Amino acid sequence: MCLKNPISINELTQASRPLRNILDQIRVQCTLCAQTDLQRGNFVDHINKICPKSVVPCQAADIKCPWQGPRDELQSHISTCVFEPLRPVLSSLIAQNRQLIDQVQKHDNEIKKLIQQMHQLQPTATNESNDESDSSSVSKFSIDDSNQKEEDAIFIRNLPATIKFNDLFDLFSKIGRIKYNANTKKAEVFIFKNPNKKDGLCNAKVVFINKESAAAAVVEYNGKHIPQWNTRLQVNISYPKKKNLNEVGKTYNRK
């Protein structure tokens, strides 16, 4: 091997154990505290445990004391450290904070799992064909209100004739989770078209999993102009058939 050619660190090999033992006996001097007659093999321990000029943290670093300085100044700092006297309180707060962080992480993981489950359910609903949505009418859809909870559904008027299932699902799923029917394997979004006026305005019904989402949808979209549909929606709570809207006396107006 040519001695004039530089070599990389990857080309270096570790010295043999006997040679390293000999080298460790060499006497060296600490460049920090100037102590001499140190064995090379003990130099790391000298820096980490003994050297008075080696930079060390405060013993209260675990409770966020920011001090760092020479080892020979540590005792002087400890006598005035404002963190160490507060150790019982700070340790308790730090432990509680760690527990809260763990709980938040656990909840985040649970939310991610729920979102994944929701996404697994939504494709079945959103993949319903446009042809089926277009051909839906009052006479074709027979909606069973017997299982509908009070105030968990909305009725939408003034929809364009070209409205699609996916259009409604995408718009109202922003407000809350739409109810999924395990029997039909579809989200409960129903479009009602007048078979005698195929080009006229149509209506729809959307069922949420709770009444809070339904109420929020009314507040958000009742009387609101939807540019992509070029229409102003009328959105109201849809009660089960046994309910009389005039008797209920509740009106939700858009804020």
Side-chain angles (χ1 to χ4, degrees):
M1 178 182 294
C2 180
L3 298 179
K4 293 184 179 181
N5 290 335
I7 60 176
S8 67
I9 191 171
N10 295 329
E11 296 175 314
L12 298 177
T13 58
Q14 189 178 44
S16 63
R17 171 57 67 180
L19 178 57
R20 280 183 284 156
N21 289 339
I22 294 174
L23 293 174
D24 285 343
Q25 299 300 318
I26 296 176
R27 301 294 173 170
V28 296
Q29 180 181 12
C30 177
T31 58
L32 296 178
C33 66
Q35 181 177 341
T36 59
D37 202 31
L38 296 171
Q39 284 190 355
R40 179 180 177 275
N42 297 330
F43 185 72
V44 174
D45 285 341
H46 168 76
I47 293 295
N48 292 337
K49 300 177 181 179
I50 301 173
C51 180
K53 298 302 180 182
S54 179
V55 176
V56 295
C58 174
Q59 65 183 24
D62 60 323
I63 53 174
K64 309 305 180 182
C65 177
W67 184 89
Q68 287 186 333
R71 181 177 278 107
D72 57 2
E73 296 179 11
L74 177 60
Q75 292 303 319
S76 175
H77 164 74
I78 291 176
S79 64
T80 59
C81 179
V82 297
F83 285 83
E84 190 61 35
L86 297 175
R87 176 175 290 278
V89 176
L90 293 177
S91 296
S92 176
L93 292 175
I94 291 173
Q96 292 177 12
N97 184 57
R98 288 173 180 169
Q99 290 179 354
L100 291 175
I101 292 175
D102 292 340
Q103 291 178 4
V104 169
Q105 184 62 48
K106 181 180 178 181
H107 291 159
D108 285 343
N109 293 336
E110 292 176 351
I111 290 173
K112 290 179 181 178
K113 290 181 180 179
L114 291 174
I115 291 175
Q116 290 177 353
Q117 293 175 2
M118 182 180 69
H119 287 168
Q120 290 173 356
L121 294 175
Q122 286 183 351
T124 303
T126 56
N127 287 336
E128 183 175 348
S129 67
N130 292 335
D131 292 339
E132 183 177 351
S133 297
D134 285 341
S135 61
S136 61
S137 65
V138 175
S139 59
K140 182 175 180 179
F141 273 103
S142 177
I143 302 175
D144 182 8
D145 287 333
S146 59
N147 293 326
Q148 181 187 324
K149 296 180 181 179
E150 183 178 0
E151 302 178 357
D152 65 356
I154 57 173
F155 194 81
I156 309 111
R157 295 178 175 84
N158 290 345
L159 291 169
T162 56
I163 196 70
K164 302 293 191 301
F165 175 94
N166 290 351
D167 297 333
L168 290 171
F169 186 91
D170 291 343
L171 181 68
F172 288 99
S173 61
K174 297 176 183 178
I175 299 298
R177 185 175 175 183
I178 296 175
K179 186 176 180 181
Y180 178 79
N181 191 315
N183 294 326
T184 61
K185 296 183 179 180
K186 297 177 182 178
E188 295 200 355
V189 176
F190 308 97
I191 300 175
F192 308 107
K193 295 185 178 181
N194 189 335
N196 299 324
K197 297 181 180 180
K198 294 185 178 181
D199 295 331
L201 294 175
C202 61
N203 304 323
K205 179 178 180 178
V206 176
V207 183
F208 292 94
I209 62 171
N210 54 52
K211 65 180 182 180
E212 289 79 11
S213 296
V218 173
V219 171
E220 177 65 24
Y221 290 113
N222 185 37
K224 185 174 183 178
H225 181 263
I226 308 299
Q228 63 268 32
W229 300 342
N230 193 27
T231 186
R232 188 174 299 277
L233 299 182
Q234 291 183 15
V235 184
N236 300 100
I237 296 297
S238 175
Y239 293 93
K241 291 180 180 179
K242 63 181 180 180
K243 292 285 185 180
N244 186 329
L245 291 180
N246 294 327
E247 295 176 356
V248 173
K250 289 186 178 180
T251 303
Y252 293 83
N253 296 320
R254 183 173 179 270
K255 292 181 179 179

